[in-house]
Amino acid sequence: MKYVIYFLILLGFGCQIDHSIETKKSDTSKHLVLIYMDADNDLEKAAIEDINELESIDLTDSGFKIVVLLDRIGGYDKSNGDWTDTRLFEITYDKNGLDNRIVSKRLYGMGLKEGQNVELNMGDPNTIKTFITFVKSSYDFKYSSLIIWNHGGGWRSLSVDQEKIFKSICWDYSDNFDNLLMAELSQGLKGESFDLIGFDACYMGMIEVGYQLKDITGIIIGSEDEEPEDGWDYRDIFTSAILLNSDPLNFANVIVDSYRENSSPYNYTLSAFYTKDFEALVSKLDSFIAYLQHIDTFQILDARGFTVDFNNDTNIDLRDFACQFTSSSEAITLINKIDSIVFNNWSNQFYKKCGGLAIYFPAPNNWGELYYYNDENIDFTKDTKWDEFIKNILQ
């Protein structure tokens, strides 16, 4: 999610009230939000702060129910008893507000047992699958959203070196720096359905990520670039959301608008986009690629050089790249399709040309990960000619 050195939320507690009860299927909400909060890394302190933001809002009769799976680690935050295992919470209102103390109702299930400290690997697709299955079976709801909270990087990772957190999500330091590649994330979500999936993480606003999850959710929220360490402002998000109808479209707009309104020099981009037309988007992209086959390689690389890029020059903004070729009908058609998919997009003054969707196209001197850009790691390369196109340009 965030950059350091960078809906269920995974958190832990020590001083909080211990509610040793199972959830009941009779618990109802219009909108169930699951937050998968992987703080088993250097973001632990930010996780405690975000839990407190959630607890500062009285969600009674709001239409929202929030469940968070929180995994912690030692060494970054000593609050709430400094526990370091994995705990499950239903968010409970704290009238004392942002006091750094977790009071939410602790839940048991999915292998988490009262009186035991259990460490779950947040980089294991079975963990997120079990989490979703357990929570969804415990509540009645009309809408459901999943928020994935952690370091992020896009479609995969070249290295498990913690200093090279590039193209995956949910890094678990206690479990040998395990993490979720995009293929593993879709494996963990297979068979599930959400109205919205949001990534409170860096670099997840990519066409590759959207395509991987297009059959699982109707809306995705992600940033093309870095996020600040403290990520989204959950107090502001839910304060605004409870004033509106709790449907997913309103919720998505509130998240992006909140990010815009609380922007800082480190809030670069955030966008919300539909996934239903991603197959059509890929078709328009392939038509654009066919046009580019007749363009000189040096002209394409010059256009890439003038395009907004991210993540150490490995990703570019797809719309801005197409805008370098607006003399072609194929580029215009692709731009129009992107604009119809991305329904809320914000970027700060440094990235005014961002269209809301990044794509992998590394700079000529930075294509070491190109070897991994293949069908084994992501679905996107199976159904588009983009991988062949950039390999032909760069190699």
Side-chain angles (χ1 to χ4, degrees):
M1 137 174 117
K2 330 200 170 193
Y3 82 97
V4 175
I5 324 193
Y6 216 78
F7 250 146
L8 294 174
I9 297 177
L10 297 177
L11 244 69
F13 81 121
C15 301
Q16 67 271 40
I17 300 171
D18 189 356
H19 297 273
S20 304
I21 62 172
E22 298 283 352
T23 58
K24 299 285 192 298
K25 186 66 175 178
S26 58
D27 288 340
T28 61
S29 66
K30 291 182 180 178
H31 198 146
L32 177 64
V33 181
L34 289 72
I35 304 178
Y36 192 75
M37 186 171 282
D38 179 9
D40 197 332
N41 47 59
D42 53 358
L43 295 176
E44 183 189 20
K45 183 176 179 61
I48 302 301
E49 293 172 353
D50 282 352
I51 290 288
N52 260 240
E53 289 176 4
L54 289 165
E55 291 181 339
S56 70
I57 304 299
D58 187 355
L59 297 173
T60 306
D61 299 324
S62 68
F64 287 95
K65 183 80 72 175
I66 305 173
V67 181
V68 177
L69 181 62
L70 174 62
D71 193 17
R72 291 182 63 182
I73 192 173
Y76 295 96
D77 184 277
K78 297 185 180 301
S79 68
N80 296 281
D82 199 21
W83 52 269
T84 61
D85 53 305
T86 309
R87 302 188 181 186
L88 184 65
F89 299 94
E90 179 186 303
I91 294 299
T92 304
Y93 176 54
D94 182 0
K95 64 180 181 180
N96 294 319
L98 305 176
D99 58 2
N100 207 40
R101 179 173 176 265
I102 298 173
V103 303
S104 289
K105 181 195 302 182
R106 189 171 174 188
L107 309 177
Y108 297 97
M110 55 175 292
L112 304 176
K113 300 179 180 180
E114 185 176 1
Q116 297 182 13
N117 295 332
V118 179
E119 168 62 31
L120 298 180
N121 178 3
M122 302 293 275
D124 184 341
N126 290 320
T127 301
I128 193 167
K129 176 178 285 294
T130 303
F131 167 64
I132 292 167
T133 301
F134 175 74
V135 174
K136 281 192 167 184
S137 66
S138 301
Y139 297 87
D140 289 317
F141 55 90
K142 181 177 181 180
Y143 308 116
S144 64
S145 293
L146 172 66
I147 297 175
I148 301 177
W149 184 108
N150 185 235
H151 287 296
W155 55 271
R156 74 167 309 280
S157 180
L158 176 64
S159 172
V160 296
D161 183 345
Q162 67 188 55
E163 299 299 326
K164 297 180 180 179
I165 301 172
F166 293 148
K167 295 177 174 62
S168 58
I169 196 167
C170 292
W171 290 72
D172 192 309
Y173 287 10
S174 295
D175 289 279
N176 198 32
F177 299 98
D178 200 5
N179 56 88
L180 291 174
L181 307 181
M182 286 303 97
E184 292 178 316
L185 179 58
S186 58
Q187 174 188 340
L189 300 181
K190 185 177 181 180
E192 296 295 339
S193 177
F194 287 96
D195 296 287
L196 180 154
I197 294 180
F199 292 97
D200 191 358
C202 297
Y203 305 120
M204 300 305 289
M206 299 189 70
I207 187 173
E208 291 89 344
V209 174
Y211 197 81
Q212 194 79 27
L213 303 179
K214 64 181 174 57
D215 297 325
I216 297 170
T217 183
I219 295 172
I220 291 177
I221 298 175
S223 172
E224 293 183 83
D225 203 42
E226 293 179 344
E227 283 193 3
E229 180 178 347
D230 56 357
W232 300 352
D233 187 331
Y234 289 95
R235 179 185 176 94
D236 184 67
I237 287 170
F238 282 96
T239 297
S240 299
I242 62 178
L243 299 176
L244 302 172
N245 184 299
S246 61
D247 73 77
L249 182 58
N250 279 336
F251 189 45
N253 282 319
V254 163
I255 292 172
V256 177
D257 292 347
S258 172
Y259 199 76
R260 175 190 296 113
E261 291 163 7
N262 293 282
S263 64
S264 73
Y266 303 106
N267 291 44
Y268 299 130
T269 73
L270 195 67
S271 60
F273 50 89
Y274 299 114
T275 62
K276 61 181 180 180
D277 282 340
F278 259 59
E279 290 184 359
L281 175 62
V282 163
S283 176
K284 304 303 182 188
L285 177 61
D286 276 347
S287 295
F288 179 54
I289 293 169
Y291 161 78
L292 292 175
Q293 304 293 343
H294 304 289
I295 304 298
D296 182 79
T297 296
F298 292 105
Q299 184 179 344
I300 292 172
L301 289 175
D302 281 344
R304 190 247 176 260
F306 284 109
T307 301
V308 175
D309 62 8
F310 318 97
N311 203 354
N312 297 308
D313 299 326
T314 61
N315 305 333
I316 62 170
D317 183 87
L318 179 56
R319 188 186 191 281
D320 190 32
F321 181 64
C323 283
Q324 311 301 316
F325 301 93
T326 50
S327 60
S328 75
S329 60
E330 292 86 354
I332 297 298
T333 300
L334 176 60
I335 291 167
N336 290 338
K337 177 53 67 174
I338 293 170
D339 289 345
S340 71
I341 286 174
V342 180
F343 63 87
N344 196 337
N345 176 44
W346 176 81
S347 56
N348 72 9
Q349 59 182 336
F350 302 108
Y351 291 125
K352 287 302 182 185
K353 297 189 295 180
C354 288
L357 274 177
I359 193 169
Y360 180 64
F361 189 173
N365 62 347
N366 194 24
W367 53 272
E369 293 175 304
L370 195 58
Y371 172 81
Y372 300 96
Y373 194 66
N374 56 45
D375 300 355
E376 180 180 351
N377 292 307
I378 51 173
D379 292 341
F380 178 72
T381 60
K382 300 175 185 178
D383 300 325
T384 178
K385 297 180 177 63
W386 182 259
D387 53 325
E388 290 94 339
F389 164 69
I390 62 172
K391 287 174 183 177
N392 183 57
I393 293 294
L394 295 170
Q395 292 181 329

